Amino acid sequence: MKAATIIKESVTNNIDDYMAIVQSLYDNPEIGNEEFETMALLTAYLKKVGFETTQGYVVPTGFLGEYNTGKPGPTIAFMCEYDALPEVGHGCGHNLIAATGIAAGVALKAVIDDFGGKLLVVGTPAEENFGGKVSMANAGVFDDVDVALMVHPGTKNAVGGRSLALNPLKFEFFGKNAHGCHPEMGASALDAAVMSFIQINLMRQYVQPGTFIHGIIKDGGQAANVIPGYASLEYYFRATTMSYAKELSAKAEKAVAAISQANGVTYQSSIYECPYEDTVINYKLAEMLTAKYQELGVPDIQPVGEIPGGSTDVGAVSYKCPTIQGGIAIAGPEVGGHTKEMAAATLSPQGKQGLIWAATGIALVALELLADPAQLAAVKAEFADTLEKLK
Protein backbone atom coordinates (compact mmCIF):
# COMPACT_ATOMS: atom_id res chain seq x y z
CA MET A 1 0.00 0.00 0.00
CA LYS A 2 1.30 3.47 -0.84
CA ALA A 3 2.44 5.61 2.07
CA ALA A 4 -0.03 8.38 1.19
CA THR A 5 -2.92 5.92 1.31
CA ILE A 6 -1.75 4.62 4.69
CA ILE A 7 -1.71 8.17 6.05
CA LYS A 8 -5.20 8.92 4.77
CA GLU A 9 -6.63 5.70 6.17
CA SER A 10 -4.88 6.19 9.51
CA VAL A 11 -6.70 9.46 10.08
CA THR A 12 -10.12 8.27 8.94
CA ASN A 13 -9.91 4.88 10.65
CA ASN A 14 -9.09 6.50 14.01
CA ILE A 15 -11.36 9.52 13.72
CA ASP A 16 -13.61 8.34 16.55
CA ASP A 17 -10.60 8.39 18.89
CA TYR A 18 -9.68 11.89 17.78
CA MET A 19 -13.20 13.25 18.13
CA ALA A 20 -13.32 11.70 21.60
CA ILE A 21 -10.25 13.81 22.44
CA VAL A 22 -11.99 16.90 21.02
CA GLN A 23 -15.07 16.14 23.14
CA SER A 24 -13.08 15.46 26.31
CA LEU A 25 -11.19 18.74 26.06
CA TYR A 26 -14.43 20.57 25.25
CA ASP A 27 -16.06 19.10 28.37
CA ASN A 28 -13.05 19.80 30.58
CA PRO A 29 -11.52 23.09 29.41
CA GLU A 30 -8.35 24.22 31.14
CA ILE A 31 -6.84 27.68 30.75
CA GLY A 32 -3.18 28.38 30.01
CA ASN A 33 -0.60 26.80 32.32
CA GLU A 34 -3.34 24.80 34.06
CA GLU A 35 -3.80 22.09 31.40
CA PHE A 36 -2.58 19.22 33.56
CA GLU A 37 -5.46 16.83 32.86
CA THR A 38 -5.27 17.61 29.16
CA MET A 39 -1.52 16.96 29.13
CA ALA A 40 -2.07 13.60 30.84
CA LEU A 41 -4.82 12.61 28.39
CA LEU A 42 -2.82 13.47 25.26
CA THR A 43 0.42 11.84 26.43
CA ALA A 44 -1.46 8.71 27.48
CA TYR A 45 -2.83 8.37 23.96
CA LEU A 46 0.57 8.95 22.36
CA LYS A 47 2.17 6.41 24.66
CA LYS A 48 -0.52 3.87 23.80
CA VAL A 49 0.28 4.17 20.09
CA GLY A 50 4.04 3.82 20.49
CA PHE A 51 5.52 7.25 21.20
CA GLU A 52 8.00 7.93 23.97
CA THR A 53 6.40 10.66 26.04
CA THR A 54 7.57 13.33 28.46
CA GLN A 55 5.22 15.36 30.63
CA GLY A 56 6.10 18.76 32.07
CA TYR A 57 8.34 19.34 29.05
CA VAL A 58 10.08 22.75 29.36
CA VAL A 59 6.97 24.19 31.04
CA PRO A 60 4.72 22.48 33.62
CA THR A 61 1.93 21.60 31.18
CA GLY A 62 4.04 21.06 28.06
CA PHE A 63 4.72 17.62 26.64
CA LEU A 64 6.75 15.80 24.03
CA GLY A 65 5.84 12.70 22.08
CA GLU A 66 8.83 11.28 20.20
CA TYR A 67 9.32 8.48 17.72
CA ASN A 68 12.84 7.90 16.41
CA THR A 69 13.37 5.53 13.50
CA GLY A 70 17.06 5.22 14.35
CA LYS A 71 17.85 5.98 10.71
CA PRO A 72 19.24 9.20 9.25
CA GLY A 73 16.61 11.66 8.15
CA PRO A 74 14.87 14.91 8.97
CA THR A 75 13.07 15.78 12.19
CA ILE A 76 9.41 16.64 11.66
CA ALA A 77 7.35 18.29 14.41
CA PHE A 78 3.59 18.56 14.71
CA MET A 79 2.44 21.14 17.26
CA CYS A 80 -0.56 20.81 19.56
CA GLU A 81 -2.32 23.67 21.32
CA TYR A 82 -4.85 22.88 24.05
CA ASP A 83 -5.46 25.82 26.36
CA ALA A 84 -9.01 27.12 26.70
CA LEU A 85 -10.38 30.60 27.34
CA PRO A 86 -12.07 31.82 30.52
CA GLU A 87 -15.87 31.72 30.30
CA VAL A 88 -16.12 30.48 26.69
CA GLY A 89 -14.03 27.30 26.96
CA HIS A 90 -12.47 26.17 23.67
CA GLY A 91 -13.70 29.18 21.72
CA CYS A 92 -10.44 29.25 19.77
CA GLY A 93 -10.68 25.58 18.79
CA HIS A 94 -7.52 24.45 20.55
CA ASN A 95 -9.19 21.16 21.44
CA LEU A 96 -9.38 20.46 17.70
CA ILE A 97 -5.78 21.60 17.21
CA ALA A 98 -4.63 19.10 19.84
CA ALA A 99 -6.46 16.21 18.19
CA THR A 100 -5.18 17.28 14.77
CA GLY A 101 -1.57 17.20 15.94
CA ILE A 102 -2.07 13.79 17.50
CA ALA A 103 -3.76 12.43 14.36
CA ALA A 104 -1.05 13.75 12.05
CA GLY A 105 1.64 12.29 14.28
CA VAL A 106 0.03 8.85 14.42
CA ALA A 107 -0.48 8.85 10.65
CA LEU A 108 3.12 9.78 9.86
CA LYS A 109 4.44 7.28 12.39
CA ALA A 110 2.77 4.53 10.36
CA VAL A 111 5.12 5.20 7.41
CA ILE A 112 8.20 7.03 8.69
CA ASP A 113 10.26 3.85 9.23
CA ASP A 114 10.43 3.46 5.46
CA PHE A 115 12.18 6.83 5.15
CA GLY A 116 14.14 7.47 8.35
CA GLY A 117 14.30 10.46 10.62
CA LYS A 118 12.54 11.51 13.79
CA LEU A 119 8.94 12.45 14.53
CA LEU A 120 7.88 14.82 17.31
CA VAL A 121 4.44 15.72 18.60
CA VAL A 122 5.05 18.81 20.72
CA GLY A 123 2.46 19.92 23.26
CA THR A 124 2.67 23.70 23.40
CA PRO A 125 0.38 25.05 26.16
CA ALA A 126 -0.84 28.52 27.05
CA GLU A 127 -0.92 30.02 23.56
CA GLU A 128 -3.51 32.62 24.50
CA ASN A 129 -1.33 34.70 26.78
CA PHE A 130 1.66 32.87 28.24
CA GLY A 131 3.34 31.63 25.07
CA GLY A 132 4.28 27.99 25.56
CA LYS A 133 5.96 28.00 22.15
CA VAL A 134 8.05 31.01 23.11
CA SER A 135 9.37 29.20 26.18
CA MET A 136 10.06 26.10 24.10
CA ALA A 137 11.73 28.04 21.29
CA ASN A 138 13.93 29.84 23.81
CA ALA A 139 14.82 26.49 25.38
CA GLY A 140 16.06 25.15 22.02
CA VAL A 141 13.23 22.68 21.39
CA PHE A 142 13.02 23.63 17.71
CA ASP A 143 16.71 24.23 17.03
CA ASP A 144 17.17 20.80 15.45
CA VAL A 145 13.70 20.53 13.92
CA ASP A 146 13.65 20.62 10.13
CA VAL A 147 9.98 21.58 9.77
CA ALA A 148 7.17 22.37 12.23
CA LEU A 149 3.52 22.06 11.16
CA MET A 150 0.06 22.73 12.57
CA VAL A 151 -3.42 23.83 11.49
CA HIS A 152 -5.77 26.25 13.26
CA PRO A 153 -9.55 25.92 12.91
CA GLY A 154 -11.70 28.90 12.05
CA THR A 155 -13.90 30.09 9.20
CA LYS A 156 -11.48 29.79 6.27
CA ASN A 157 -9.44 27.08 4.59
CA ALA A 158 -6.01 28.66 4.38
CA VAL A 159 -2.30 27.95 4.09
CA GLY A 160 -0.87 30.40 6.60
CA GLY A 161 -0.49 34.10 7.03
CA ARG A 162 1.43 36.81 8.72
CA SER A 163 0.85 37.77 12.33
CA LEU A 164 1.64 40.84 14.38
CA ALA A 165 4.49 41.10 16.82
CA LEU A 166 3.17 41.91 20.28
CA ASN A 167 4.96 43.69 23.12
CA PRO A 168 2.83 43.74 26.32
CA LEU A 169 3.88 46.61 28.56
CA LYS A 170 2.60 47.62 32.00
CA PHE A 171 3.07 51.05 33.56
CA GLU A 172 2.68 51.45 37.31
CA PHE A 173 2.42 54.87 38.97
CA PHE A 174 3.30 55.57 42.60
CA GLY A 175 2.01 58.74 44.21
CA LYS A 176 0.78 59.69 47.68
CA ASN A 177 -2.64 59.19 49.25
CA ALA A 178 -4.48 62.19 50.65
CA HIS A 179 -8.03 63.18 51.60
CA GLY A 180 -10.04 64.33 48.61
CA CYS A 181 -10.58 67.71 50.30
CA HIS A 182 -6.84 68.13 50.88
CA PRO A 183 -5.38 67.11 47.52
CA GLU A 184 -2.40 69.42 48.03
CA MET A 185 -1.12 66.93 50.59
CA GLY A 186 -1.00 64.09 48.08
CA ALA A 187 0.18 63.21 44.58
CA SER A 188 -2.31 61.54 42.26
CA ALA A 189 -1.07 58.40 40.58
CA LEU A 190 -4.39 58.33 38.71
CA ASP A 191 -3.82 61.76 37.17
CA ALA A 192 -0.49 60.57 35.81
CA ALA A 193 -2.09 57.38 34.49
CA VAL A 194 -4.96 59.23 32.80
CA MET A 195 -2.64 61.77 31.17
CA SER A 196 -0.37 58.93 30.02
CA PHE A 197 -3.37 57.05 28.64
CA ILE A 198 -4.41 60.09 26.61
CA GLN A 199 -0.88 60.74 25.34
CA ILE A 200 -0.33 57.12 24.29
CA ASN A 201 -3.69 57.15 22.49
CA LEU A 202 -2.54 60.24 20.54
CA MET A 203 0.41 58.21 19.24
CA ARG A 204 -1.95 56.11 17.11
CA GLN A 205 -2.25 58.82 14.46
CA TYR A 206 1.48 58.74 13.74
CA VAL A 207 2.26 55.03 13.52
CA GLN A 208 2.96 52.91 10.47
CA PRO A 209 0.10 51.01 8.77
CA GLY A 210 -0.71 47.68 10.39
CA THR A 211 0.14 48.96 13.87
CA PHE A 212 -2.21 48.73 16.85
CA ILE A 213 -1.92 50.25 20.31
CA HIS A 214 -4.58 49.25 22.82
CA GLY A 215 -4.62 49.51 26.58
CA ILE A 216 -6.68 49.74 29.74
CA ILE A 217 -6.53 51.50 33.09
CA LYS A 218 -5.98 48.43 35.23
CA ASP A 219 -5.95 50.19 38.62
CA GLY A 220 -7.17 53.70 39.39
CA GLY A 221 -7.97 53.93 43.09
CA GLN A 222 -10.50 52.51 45.50
CA ALA A 223 -12.54 55.47 46.79
CA ALA A 224 -13.59 58.76 45.23
CA ASN A 225 -12.65 60.78 48.32
CA VAL A 226 -9.06 59.50 48.40
CA ILE A 227 -6.30 60.82 46.14
CA PRO A 228 -5.02 57.57 44.58
CA GLY A 229 -1.49 56.66 45.55
CA TYR A 230 -1.32 53.84 43.01
CA ALA A 231 -2.55 53.38 39.45
CA SER A 232 -1.56 51.21 36.51
CA LEU A 233 -2.00 50.81 32.77
CA GLU A 234 -1.67 47.65 30.70
CA TYR A 235 -0.94 47.94 26.99
CA TYR A 236 -0.44 45.83 23.91
CA PHE A 237 1.86 47.36 21.31
CA ARG A 238 1.37 45.39 18.07
CA ALA A 239 3.32 45.94 14.86
CA THR A 240 4.48 44.09 11.77
CA THR A 241 7.90 43.57 13.39
CA MET A 242 9.02 43.28 16.99
CA SER A 243 11.64 46.00 16.48
CA TYR A 244 8.94 48.52 15.61
CA ALA A 245 6.69 47.37 18.48
CA LYS A 246 9.61 48.01 20.85
CA GLU A 247 10.30 51.39 19.24
CA LEU A 248 6.71 52.44 19.96
CA SER A 249 6.94 51.07 23.49
CA ALA A 250 10.02 53.21 24.08
CA LYS A 251 8.24 56.33 22.81
CA ALA A 252 5.34 55.63 25.13
CA GLU A 253 7.70 55.20 28.06
CA LYS A 254 9.32 58.58 27.37
CA ALA A 255 5.89 60.17 27.56
CA VAL A 256 5.06 58.32 30.77
CA ALA A 257 8.35 59.43 32.35
CA ALA A 258 7.70 63.11 31.55
CA ILE A 259 4.08 62.98 32.70
CA SER A 260 5.05 61.26 35.94
CA GLN A 261 7.61 63.95 36.66
CA ALA A 262 5.05 66.68 35.92
CA ASN A 263 2.62 65.11 38.38
CA GLY A 264 5.13 64.50 41.13
CA VAL A 265 4.87 60.72 41.03
CA THR A 266 7.23 57.90 40.13
CA TYR A 267 6.61 55.05 37.74
CA GLN A 268 7.99 51.70 36.65
CA SER A 269 7.40 49.65 33.53
CA SER A 270 7.43 45.88 33.05
CA ILE A 271 6.62 43.18 30.53
CA TYR A 272 3.52 41.64 32.09
CA GLU A 273 2.78 38.87 29.57
CA CYS A 274 4.79 36.93 27.01
CA PRO A 275 5.88 38.97 23.97
CA TYR A 276 5.08 37.35 20.60
CA GLU A 277 7.20 37.61 17.48
CA ASP A 278 5.68 38.16 14.04
CA THR A 279 5.35 35.02 11.90
CA VAL A 280 7.91 34.25 9.19
CA ILE A 281 6.13 32.91 6.10
CA ASN A 282 7.51 29.93 4.21
CA TYR A 283 5.92 30.06 0.77
CA LYS A 284 7.23 26.65 -0.24
CA LEU A 285 5.41 25.02 2.66
CA ALA A 286 2.30 27.02 1.80
CA GLU A 287 2.52 25.78 -1.78
CA MET A 288 2.84 22.19 -0.58
CA LEU A 289 -0.12 22.44 1.81
CA THR A 290 -2.21 24.01 -0.95
CA ALA A 291 -1.49 21.02 -3.17
CA LYS A 292 -2.40 18.55 -0.43
CA TYR A 293 -5.63 20.38 0.38
CA GLN A 294 -6.55 20.33 -3.30
CA GLU A 295 -5.81 16.61 -3.46
CA LEU A 296 -8.13 16.04 -0.51
CA GLY A 297 -10.93 18.12 -2.01
CA VAL A 298 -10.75 21.03 0.43
CA PRO A 299 -12.76 23.90 -1.13
CA ASP A 300 -12.06 27.65 -1.30
CA ILE A 301 -8.42 27.52 -0.24
CA GLN A 302 -7.18 30.98 0.64
CA PRO A 303 -3.62 31.99 -0.30
CA VAL A 304 -1.06 33.20 2.23
CA GLY A 305 -2.54 36.08 4.21
CA GLU A 306 -0.20 39.00 3.66
CA ILE A 307 -2.07 41.42 5.96
CA PRO A 308 -1.23 40.49 9.56
CA GLY A 309 -4.12 39.79 11.87
CA GLY A 310 -3.71 39.06 15.57
CA SER A 311 -0.69 37.64 17.32
CA THR A 312 0.47 34.11 18.06
CA ASP A 313 3.36 32.35 19.73
CA VAL A 314 3.85 30.37 16.50
CA GLY A 315 5.96 33.35 15.50
CA ALA A 316 8.70 32.28 17.90
CA VAL A 317 8.88 28.86 16.23
CA SER A 318 8.95 30.41 12.75
CA TYR A 319 12.24 32.13 13.59
CA LYS A 320 13.79 28.77 14.60
CA CYS A 321 12.78 26.48 11.72
CA PRO A 322 10.52 26.44 8.64
CA THR A 323 7.00 26.63 10.04
CA ILE A 324 3.44 26.65 8.78
CA GLN A 325 0.17 27.25 10.58
CA GLY A 326 -2.55 26.42 8.11
CA GLY A 327 -6.24 27.10 8.55
CA ILE A 328 -9.30 24.90 8.25
CA ALA A 329 -12.93 26.04 8.18
CA ILE A 330 -15.19 24.47 10.80
CA ALA A 331 -17.87 27.19 10.81
CA GLY A 332 -19.37 29.87 8.60
CA PRO A 333 -18.15 33.47 8.50
CA GLU A 334 -20.91 34.53 10.88
CA VAL A 335 -19.17 32.67 13.73
CA GLY A 336 -16.57 34.74 15.54
CA GLY A 337 -13.41 33.49 17.17
CA HIS A 338 -13.19 33.25 20.95
CA THR A 339 -16.91 32.47 21.22
CA LYS A 340 -19.00 29.62 22.56
CA GLU A 341 -20.31 29.15 19.03
CA MET A 342 -16.80 28.44 17.76
CA ALA A 343 -16.25 26.02 20.63
CA ALA A 344 -19.43 24.17 19.67
CA ALA A 345 -18.29 24.03 16.04
CA THR A 346 -15.36 21.81 17.03
CA LEU A 347 -17.89 19.06 17.79
CA SER A 348 -19.93 19.52 14.61
CA PRO A 349 -19.80 17.42 11.43
CA GLN A 350 -17.86 20.28 9.83
CA GLY A 351 -15.43 20.19 12.74
CA LYS A 352 -14.93 16.45 12.23
CA GLN A 353 -14.33 16.90 8.51
CA GLY A 354 -11.98 19.77 9.25
CA LEU A 355 -9.93 17.58 11.54
CA ILE A 356 -9.63 14.91 8.85
CA TRP A 357 -8.55 17.41 6.20
CA ALA A 358 -6.15 19.27 8.50
CA ALA A 359 -4.40 16.24 9.97
CA THR A 360 -4.18 14.45 6.64
CA GLY A 361 -2.97 17.59 4.87
CA ILE A 362 -0.02 18.31 7.14
CA ALA A 363 0.86 14.60 7.42
CA LEU A 364 1.02 14.40 3.61
CA VAL A 365 3.23 17.51 3.51
CA ALA A 366 5.54 15.83 6.01
CA LEU A 367 5.54 12.65 3.92
CA GLU A 368 6.61 14.57 0.83
CA LEU A 369 9.44 16.18 2.76
CA LEU A 370 10.62 12.75 3.91
CA ALA A 371 10.35 11.21 0.45
CA ASP A 372 11.82 14.06 -1.57
CA PRO A 373 15.01 15.59 -0.11
CA ALA A 374 14.95 18.26 -2.81
CA GLN A 375 11.65 19.58 -1.50
CA LEU A 376 13.00 19.75 2.04
CA ALA A 377 16.14 21.49 0.78
CA ALA A 378 14.01 24.09 -1.00
CA VAL A 379 11.97 24.73 2.15
CA LYS A 380 15.09 25.17 4.26
CA ALA A 381 16.83 27.34 1.66
CA GLU A 382 13.86 29.71 1.58
CA PHE A 383 13.87 29.84 5.39
CA ALA A 384 17.55 30.73 5.53
CA ASP A 385 17.16 33.34 2.81
CA THR A 386 14.16 34.97 4.51
CA LEU A 387 15.93 35.21 7.86
CA GLU A 388 18.96 36.76 6.20
CA LYS A 389 16.77 39.44 4.61
CA LEU A 390 15.14 40.19 7.97
CA LYS A 391 18.44 41.00 9.65
Side-chain angles (χ1 to χ4, degrees), residues 227-372:
I227 300 300
Y230 176 80
S232 68
L233 306 175
E234 289 184 354
Y235 268 93
Y236 279 177
F237 294 87
R238 298 187 202 249
T240 54
T241 65
M242 181 57 79
S243 62
Y244 189 54
K246 288 181 177 179
E247 180 183 328
L248 294 174
S249 301
K251 287 182 179 180
E253 183 150 1
K254 284 183 179 180
V256 168
I259 290 167
S260 295
Q261 184 178 13
N263 282 272
V265 307
T266 60
Y267 87 95
Q268 67 181 33
S269 63
S270 60
I271 302 296
Y272 70 99
E273 288 181 0
C274 184
Y276 288 173
E277 294 279 0
D278 55 295
T279 298
V280 178
I281 299 299
N282 191 285
Y283 290 94
K284 183 62 179 175
L285 282 177
E287 175 188 308
M288 294 175 69
L289 183 56
T290 300
K292 302 310 175 188
Y293 271 180
Q294 290 172 338
E295 177 185 333
L296 294 170
V298 178
D300 301 321
I301 304 165
Q302 301 298 306
V304 171
E306 299 293 351
I307 299 175
S311 304
T312 172
D313 62 359
V314 173
V317 181
S318 76
Y319 273 88
K320 295 292 185 179
C321 67
T323 303
I324 190 168
Q325 178 177 236
I328 200 73
I330 64 168
E334 73 283 357
V335 177
H338 289 201
T339 63
K340 291 183 178 180
E341 289 77 15
M342 184 62 76
T346 64
L347 304 176
S348 70
Q350 193 172 355
K352 180 179 180 180
Q353 182 61 68
L355 194 162
I356 292 172
W357 279 338
T360 308
I362 56 175
L364 290 175
V365 169
L367 173 62
E368 187 171 347
L369 295 171
L370 291 172
D372 188 349

Side-chain angles (χ1 to χ4, degrees), residues 7-210:
I7 283 176
K8 293 174 184 177
E9 292 187 355
S10 172
V11 176
T12 56
N13 289 346
N14 295 298
I15 190 60
D16 289 345
D17 284 356
Y18 305 139
M19 289 306 296
I21 290 173
V22 175
Q23 181 77 58
S24 180
L25 271 59
Y26 177 92
D27 291 337
N28 303 281
E30 297 175 299
I31 63 173
N33 290 337
E34 296 181 14
E35 315 100 315
F36 290 100
E37 290 186 12
T38 301
M39 174 183 66
L41 174 71
L42 298 178
T43 52
Y45 189 86
L46 287 171
K47 187 174 183 179
K48 182 179 72 172
V49 296
F51 284 82
E52 293 185 10
T53 61
T54 304
Q55 294 187 13
Y57 184 63
V58 178
V59 290
T61 54
F63 72 80
L64 179 68
E66 181 176 354
Y67 182 76
N68 194 339
T69 67
K71 304 174 185 177
T75 298
I76 305 293
F78 296 112
M79 295 181 286
C80 297
E81 295 176 2
Y82 39 92
D83 58 319
L85 293 156
E87 297 184 22
V88 300
H90 277 288
C92 204
H94 292 186
N95 54 334
L96 197 77
I97 295 175
T100 297
I102 298 289
V106 172
L108 192 66
K109 178 179 176 293
V111 299
I112 194 172
D113 282 319
D114 294 335
F115 301 94
K118 185 187 297 186
L119 169 59
L120 308 178
V121 178
V122 186
T124 61
E127 185 275 337
E128 292 295 345
N129 51 4
F130 298 111
K133 295 182 194 66
V134 177
S135 299
M136 290 182 169
N138 291 340
V141 171
F142 298 97
D143 287 359
D144 297 322
V145 170
D146 289 279
V147 175
L149 308 103
M150 66 172 289
V151 176
H152 200 298
T155 60
K156 294 181 180 179
N157 299 314
V159 292
R162 301 189 181 279
S163 67
L164 293 166
L166 184 155
N167 195 41
L169 197 59
K170 182 170 186 171
F171 299 106
E172 296 179 276
F173 302 86
F174 305 92
K176 183 180 179 182
N177 290 126
H179 193 289
C181 294
H182 297 283
E184 74 280 1
M185 299 180 68
S188 176
L190 179 59
D191 284 358
V194 170
M195 290 179 68
S196 297
F197 188 85
I198 293 171
Q199 182 59 43
I200 294 172
N201 275 357
L202 291 174
M203 289 173 55
R204 294 175 174 177
Q205 182 180 178
Y206 305 99
V207 299
Q208 296 174 2

